[in-house]
């Protein structure tokens, strides 16, 4: 029997049909939004209020809300309730291809993004308030291209303590994420006459493109279980590597190769760029400190808040050899690329008051639990899949049986609204390696994680 309910807050006039209450509630809400009756921005009653009015369990309402948030019909924010999302009132688009822009992503298991729902909003706002209250007027003008002294000092303490980086505040340059840092370094290398940059055979295609766009030629380094093949560096002018956790294979650059790499840089005058993109997230193994500490005059250490806090902050940092500081600053000055003073002050305060460490500790624990759940579910549901690269970071490598097609699996997942990447999308040349998936387990909010993994298991060989 259809029922009509008036709720406290917005009057939703929902009609639930069918025997399953939660499914009925989801259908009713979806239809009301699709039909335009519940308009974007309309704040829904709290799950408690709606449950009381409907005489059903609060969890049922919360689960239905959570599902519709994951599907994009509703939006939510801690402290601000749940409202109808700002989206077209037509049905979600059907999937016809696997292209990124064409799929309607309900579950995102792509590597690269942390769980944005756990961004420490309250602590961040409190840090902003404290930092801004104490700031001199001058801070709000065009600031030092190195970045604000407060942030460079806070980063100096933090990087020395947490990553073993050899650093003083005058060697730190704050930039708009690692991407800008790499851009500045490529400009500086080009100005010095460099022509080639060695990069790992597997890596993010955006960095290969960036290097090419700056007029430098990327040269591939093979990657195996010990990390990048350092003996292939010979003729490069610089090298970009991910020693603590190769992206996306997930191995650590072995100690002997680290030593050989810095020896090569010292002997040839070449520069190593150490991309320490997820260095804070270590789980099972002993701490792997920054390689920069072996040769601070030959290695640029590059870090970012994109994994530890959120990519939207656009905050990253370079720790430069002395000989490069002026060159990089001159380029930065010329481009007038300054990061927001308020965000810089806030991060400085957040680090200094211990909020950053607390957030990292909490996040590390949460991601470790997710990783364990992912591994346990795969062991149970997809025993043919070999999971590697899981001792650190926010993603895992799922090696598939050789007869499987990476492309087909990615397409099947996309058809169900699940975004994942095949390993070969991180490799410019056909390398003949086994098919594999790169699964980022950090991005989904908690309530969507289990469903995302269940959907993943459903498209994997059993
Ligand atoms: C390999 C690698 N390095 C660095 C970063 C951080 O980039 P940014 O600081 O520009 O957001 C990422 C982010 O996805 C990455 O995948």
């Amino acid at each position: 029997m259809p029922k009509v309910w008036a709720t406290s807050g917005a009057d939703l006039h929902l009609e639930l049909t069918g025997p399953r209450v939660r499914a009925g509630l989801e259908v009713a809400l979806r239809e009301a939004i699709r039909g335009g009756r519940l308009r974007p921005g309309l704040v829904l009653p709290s799950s408690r209020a709606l449950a009381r009015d409907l005489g059903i369990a609060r969890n049922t309402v919360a689960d239905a809300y959570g599902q519709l948030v994951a599907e994009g019909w509703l939006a939510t924010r801690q402290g601000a309730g749940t409202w109808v999302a700002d989206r077209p009132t037509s049905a979600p688009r059907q999937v016809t291809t696997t292209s990124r822009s064409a799929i309607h992503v309900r579950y995102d298991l792509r590597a690269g993004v942390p769980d944005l729902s756990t961004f420490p909003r309250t602590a961040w706002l409190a840090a902003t308030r404290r930092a801004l209250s104490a700031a001199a007027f001058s801070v709000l003008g065009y600031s030092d291209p190195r970045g604000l002294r407060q942030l460079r000092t806070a980063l100096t303490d933090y990087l020395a303590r947490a990553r073993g980086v050899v650093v003083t505040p005058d060697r730190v340059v704050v930039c708009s994420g690692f991407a800008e840092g790499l851009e500045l370094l490529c400009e500086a290398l080009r100005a010095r006459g460099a022509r080639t940059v060695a990069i790992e055979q597997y890596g993010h295609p955006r960095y290969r493109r960036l290097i090419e766009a700056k007029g430098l030629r990327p040269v591939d380094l093979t990657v195996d279980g010990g990390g990048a093949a350092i003996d292939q560096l010979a003729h490069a002018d610089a090298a970009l590597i991910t020693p603590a956790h190769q992206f996306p294979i997930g191995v650590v650059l072995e100690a002997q190769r680290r030593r050989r790499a810095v020896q090569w840089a010292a002997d040839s005058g070449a520069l190593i760029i150490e991309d320490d993109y997820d260095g804070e997230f270590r789980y099972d193994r002993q701490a792997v400190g920054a390689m920069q500490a072996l040769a601070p005059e030959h290695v640029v250490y590059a870090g970012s808040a994109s994994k530890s806090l959120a990519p939207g902050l656009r905050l990253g940092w370079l720790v430069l050899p002395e000989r490069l500081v002026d060159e990089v600053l001159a380029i930065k000055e010329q481009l007038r690329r300054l990061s927001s003073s308020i965000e810089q002050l806030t991060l400085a305060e957040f680090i200094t008051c211990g909020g950053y460490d607390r957030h990292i500790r909490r996040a590390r624990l949460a991601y470790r639990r997710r990783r364990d759940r992912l591994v346990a579910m795969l062991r149970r549901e997809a025993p043919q899949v070999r999971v590697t690269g899981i001792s650190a970071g926010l993603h895992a490598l799922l090696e598939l049986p050789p007869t499987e097609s990476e492309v087909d699996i990615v397409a099947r997942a996309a058809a169900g609204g699940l975004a994942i990447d095949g390993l070969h999308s991180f490799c410019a040349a056909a390398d003949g390696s086994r098919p594999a998936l790169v699964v980022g387990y950090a991005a989904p909010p908690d309530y969507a994680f289990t469903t995302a993994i269940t959907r993943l298991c459903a498209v994997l060989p059993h």
Side-chain angles (χ1 to χ4, degrees), residues 111-113 176-181 203-204 206-207 242 245 247 275-278 303-307 310-311 314-316:
V113 185
S176 179
F178 170 71
E180 194 210 355
H204 211 296
R206 111 169 45 102
Y207 304 129
T242 47
H245 188 228
F247 184 85
D275 177 6
D276 196 36
Y277 64 102
D278 64 3
S304 166
S306 290
K307 299 278 199 283
R314 299 317 300 139
L315 282 174

Side-chain angles (χ1 to χ4, degrees), residues 1-350:
M1 267 268 285
K3 298 176 189 169
V4 180
W5 283 294
T7 67
S8 60
D11 188 356
L12 300 185
H13 295 280
L14 296 177
E15 295 197 0
L16 301 203
T17 49
R20 292 173 53 225
V21 178
R22 175 180 153 187
L25 180 57
E26 281 175 30
V27 169
L29 282 168
R30 228 181 262 117
E31 288 308 316
I33 297 168
R34 199 199 310 266
R37 201 164 60 70
L38 300 185
R39 306 191 74 78
L42 178 82
V43 176
L44 299 188
S46 69
S47 55
R48 188 191 299 278
L50 186 54
R52 202 176 39 234
D53 290 345
L54 301 185
I56 61 177
R58 183 182 172 196
N59 278 353
T60 307
V61 179
D63 289 348
Y65 278 8
Q67 177 62 28
L68 295 182
V69 167
E71 292 176 13
W73 298 100
L74 300 179
T76 187
R77 201 175 58 230
Q78 202 175 356
T82 303
W83 61 92
V84 177
D86 193 9
R87 67 197 306 285
T89 49
S90 56
R93 250 181 309 165
Q94 290 303 305
V95 176
T96 50
T97 82
T98 59
S99 123
R100 272 304 144 73
S101 53
I103 72 164
H104 176 79
V105 177
R106 291 181 189 165
Y107 300 98
D108 197 348
L109 290 179
R110 288 172 293 189
V113 185
D115 179 358
L116 301 175
S117 73
T118 60
F119 182 82
R121 288 173 195 248
T122 309
W124 187 262
L125 282 171
T128 306
R129 179 181 288 274
R130 287 195 302 275
L132 201 52
S133 306
F137 291 129
S138 55
V139 160
L140 298 172
Y142 293 106
S143 55
D144 186 338
R146 289 168 207 259
L148 293 183
R149 182 189 41 78
Q150 292 89 326
L151 179 55
R152 288 184 289 112
T153 306
L155 283 170
T156 296
D157 293 345
Y158 173 76
L159 293 174
R161 172 168 57 79
R163 306 293 300 127
V165 177
V166 177
V167 52
T168 51
D170 57 334
R171 299 281 187 97
V172 177
V173 173
V174 175
C175 42
S176 179
F178 170 71
E180 194 210 355
L182 181 60
E183 206 178 338
L184 295 171
L185 291 169
C186 286
E187 296 259 5
L189 284 166
R190 191 86 180 93
R192 286 176 156 234
R195 303 165 84 93
T196 53
V197 179
I199 58 173
E200 292 157 326
Q201 159 198 28
Y202 294 100
H204 211 296
R206 111 169 45 102
Y207 304 129
R208 174 185 293 272
R209 284 198 297 270
L210 193 152
I211 290 166
E212 282 168 347
K214 292 290 163 193
L216 295 160
R217 188 164 57 83
V219 180
D220 281 354
L221 300 175
T222 316
V223 173
D224 60 25
I230 297 305
D231 52 355
Q232 296 168 5
L233 280 171
H235 303 298
D237 298 312
L240 166 62
I241 47 182
T242 47
H245 188 228
Q246 204 286 327
F247 184 85
I249 301 291
V251 292
V252 186
L253 186 66
E254 59 189 26
Q256 203 191 22
R257 293 193 194 185
R258 288 171 172 243
R259 283 194 295 275
R260 286 222 310 277
V262 297
Q263 192 59 53
W264 161 77
D267 292 347
S268 63
L271 187 72
I272 295 175
I273 303 167
E274 174 176 21
D275 177 6
D276 196 36
Y277 64 102
D278 64 3
E280 278 103 350
F281 296 111
R282 306 173 312 270
Y283 310 119
D284 301 338
R285 57 161 199 238
Q286 297 211 314
V288 177
M291 177 171 154
Q292 182 263 8
L294 296 178
E297 294 310 325
H298 302 287
V299 180
V300 176
Y301 174 87
S304 166
S306 290
K307 299 278 199 283
S308 56
L309 281 166
L313 285 173
R314 299 317 300 139
L315 282 174
W317 40 89
L318 300 177
V319 178
L320 296 169
E322 189 174 7
R323 65 189 157 114
L324 269 185
V325 174
D326 289 344
E327 285 165 55
V328 168
L329 285 178
I331 294 163
K332 197 160 191 279
E333 181 106 69
Q334 195 187 346
L335 297 172
R336 247 196 172 182
R337 295 261 186 82
L338 302 175
S339 302
S340 152
S341 297
I342 297 174
E343 301 301 354
Q344 290 188 61
L345 284 179
T346 304
L347 180 56
E349 169 63 20
F350 197 57

